[in-house]
Amino acid sequence: MSENKRLNNYDELPLVLDVADIQRIMGISRVTAYELVHTPGFPAFRSGRLIKVSKIAFFEWMAKGNGRVPENSN
């Protein structure tokens, strides 16, 4: 997903998100986004060296609201 592309709605998101997408969706820093994807229970997976997240799994995780979000390190 383009760094400058505005996230207007769910349907415009790719099926597989990357850390930059998570960062923009949640409005968090890059460091915090990387901490989040390494949090136990977060639905991330690796594709080679890249960290990816299924769009569906990410929004299900957010809807549950029971994941632990790392302290803000900005």
Side-chain angles (χ1 to χ4, degrees), residues 1 4-6 10 12-13 17-18 20 22 29-30 38-41 43 48 54 56-57 62 64-66:
M1 178 169 245
N4 297 327
K5 184 168 181 176
R6 187 173 183 145
Y10 179 85
E12 290 181 0
L13 293 171
L17 307 172
D18 60 23
I22 300 300
S29 72
R30 182 176 182 219
H38 289 96
T39 300
S54 158
I56 294 168
M62 280 198 353
K64 286 180 186 174
N66 61 4

Side-chain angles (χ1 to χ4, degrees), residues 16 29 41 48 52 60 63:
V16 179
S29 72
K52 299 291 185 174
E60 286 175 351

Side-chain angles (χ1 to χ4, degrees), residues 59-72:
F59 282 94
E60 286 175 351
W61 173 86
M62 280 198 353
K64 286 180 186 174
N66 61 4
R68 185 169 158 79
V69 177
E71 303 253 342
N72 190 352

Side-chain angles (χ1 to χ4, degrees), residues 29-67:
S29 72
R30 182 176 182 219
V31 170
T32 302
Y34 274 99
E35 289 174 356
L36 180 61
V37 299
H38 289 96
T39 300
F42 189 83
F45 62 93
R46 285 200 174 269
S47 176
R49 294 183 61 199
L50 303 175
I51 298 170
K52 299 291 185 174
V53 182
S54 158
K55 173 173 76 170
I56 294 168
F58 172 70
F59 282 94
E60 286 175 351
W61 173 86
M62 280 198 353
K64 286 180 186 174
N66 61 4

